[in-house]
Amino acid sequence: MTHASNKSAPDQILGRSAAGELFAQTFYNDGNTNTWRIAQDGQTLVLNGSWAKGDGDGYQVRFTADFTEAGNTMNGKWEQSRDGQTWRTFMETHATKAQPLPNASVGI
């Protein structure tokens, strides 16, 4: 992923804290990290965190993902806010889990 003049190659870890709360930790190749709070409501996950801009100023970010079709499809949107009240969508996503091909063989 490339954002402006900064190249970003993040790795992300998802898990549960000792208290049972969902979280995500993102590690970027420029040394930055990000911790996300995750809330689950049925088939919807909401990640909340913040991103700093190059000038040191930052903004709040959230990603909302809705899972359908037995969890095989995800529709989501990334939003940002300066005040935590007014949110602006800056990216929408759609992903479908790949299914095995009929009669597919492994290792042949």
Side-chain angles (χ1 to χ4, degrees):
M1 173 191 314
T2 301
H3 183 265
S5 63
N6 299 323
K7 292 185 178 179
S8 175
D11 288 320
Q12 193 157 50
I13 297 171
L14 299 158
R16 286 192 186 273
S17 69
E21 298 170 336
L22 293 168
F23 74 93
Q25 182 73 45
T26 306
F27 300 89
Y28 299 93
N29 64 348
D30 63 2
N32 288 317
T33 63
N34 213 3
T35 301
W36 302 91
R37 296 171 313 280
I38 303 176
Q40 181 179 5
D41 182 11
Q43 297 296 310
T44 300
L45 289 180
V46 179
L47 285 74
N48 287 289
S50 60
W51 281 343
K53 292 175 55 176
D55 60 7
D57 195 15
Y59 47 92
Q60 296 177 47
V61 179
R62 72 180 174 199
F63 175 67
T64 304
D66 294 309
F67 293 87
T68 59
E69 300 177 23
N72 291 319
T73 300
M74 178 192 73
N75 292 300
K77 66 179 176 177
W78 284 96
E79 300 171 288
Q80 65 184 17
S81 174
R82 292 253 184 226
D83 61 11
Q85 301 296 315
T86 305
W87 293 88
R88 182 181 69 82
T89 300
F90 65 90
M91 184 179 359
E92 294 180 345
T93 63
H94 175 81
T96 302
K97 182 178 178 182
Q99 300 297 315
L101 297 173
N103 302 318
S105 297
V106 176
I108 295 180

